[in-house]
Amino acid sequence: MNKPIKHHYIPQFYLRRWINPSKTLFVYIRGKTEPSEIKRNGLTGFCLENDLYSISNINPNNPTKIETEWASPLDGCAATIINKFNEGQVNNLTDDERLSWANFCASLWLRSPQGLKYISEKLHQNPLSLLNSKEENRDLCAFILPKLDYLKHEVVFTALNWYVERTDNEFLIGDTLPTFNLEINSPFYTYLPIDPKRTFLAFGPQKPKFNDKLRRDFNKWIVQNAKRFVFASSRENEDFILKYLK
């Protein structure tokens, strides 16, 4: 079997959720004033780096292990859980499913170029050596995040209330995603859009009111923090995107 070379830090299954009924989506690129309309197969060329996981002090003897034994299985679990969200089963997940979803949300930062670089520099050791344990898919994020002082992720996130909000207006996604709302003025602990019209939300004892201003704030964060790419299923937010993607 050929070893993966191109590693996607935004999962392909997740990006494909923004494909519209015409079987395309729109990609806005920083520095350009017109979006590119991309077909499904064209998405494979976005949000990837060659040998991203082959960092010298991260699994040097098996550089594909992060993708084949951690990221890919975790993405498979996340895809199944999103299907449950779509069926209204957000409150009927098992404990293992809740933990898998929490770890998937965290992984969107951990697997990014900036996340892997930060982990490597911060720990000054082999931070992903936990992949050698029998509980690799379950414990990787819980192992790393506390060492980075990046919240007691597993305990806090899985104990919160979860729900899925549907809106009439579109959510955007980009090549940088907000695992936790540490930089967004939001009453929610975290949010992650799961398609153009729905987002996952986690909150504490009292459910905050979701409104369109929060959606716009979320979209603004996505656009301003994008390294290169913002993805949309339509062009309805084009003026908004071009205003902040400078």
Side-chain angles (χ1 to χ4, degrees), residues 98-156:
R98 287 177 68 88
L99 185 57
S100 291
W101 180 251
N103 283 343
F104 172 74
C105 290
S107 81
L108 296 174
W109 176 77
L110 290 172
R111 71 176 76 181
S112 70
Q114 59 269 35
L116 287 169
K117 182 175 184 293
Y118 181 71
I119 291 167
S120 179
E121 293 175 350
K122 182 77 172 179
L123 299 185
H124 298 293
Q125 59 179 335
N126 182 352
L128 302 187
S129 61
L130 192 67
L131 286 167
N132 295 321
S133 78
K134 295 180 180 179
E135 297 290 329
E136 64 247 15
N137 292 339
R138 181 183 182 89
D139 291 341
L140 178 61
C141 296
F143 172 77
I144 294 174
L145 291 176
K147 289 180 169 54
L148 299 178
D149 297 322
Y150 197 67
L151 302 179
K152 296 296 183 179
H153 167 75
E154 180 178 323
V155 174
V156 174

Side-chain angles (χ1 to χ4, degrees), residues 215-237:
R215 183 195 62 84
R216 292 195 304 271
D217 287 345
F218 292 157
N219 281 348
K220 181 178 177 182
W221 190 98
I222 287 290
V223 176
Q224 289 183 324
N225 286 274
K227 303 302 180 185
R228 290 190 63 199
F229 307 118
V230 172
F231 302 89
S233 66
S234 74
R235 300 181 72 165
E236 69 176 58
N237 290 294

Side-chain angles (χ1 to χ4, degrees), residues 192-226:
L192 184 69
I194 58 175
D195 64 36
K197 301 293 185 179
R198 283 175 287 195
T199 187
F200 165 83
L201 296 156
F203 58 95
Q206 186 173 356
K207 180 179 176 180
K209 183 178 180 180
F210 187 89
N211 54 45
D212 199 57
K213 181 182 182 302
L214 281 174
R215 183 195 62 84
R216 292 195 304 271
D217 287 345
F218 292 157
N219 281 348
K220 181 178 177 182
W221 190 98
I222 287 290
V223 176
Q224 289 183 324
N225 286 274

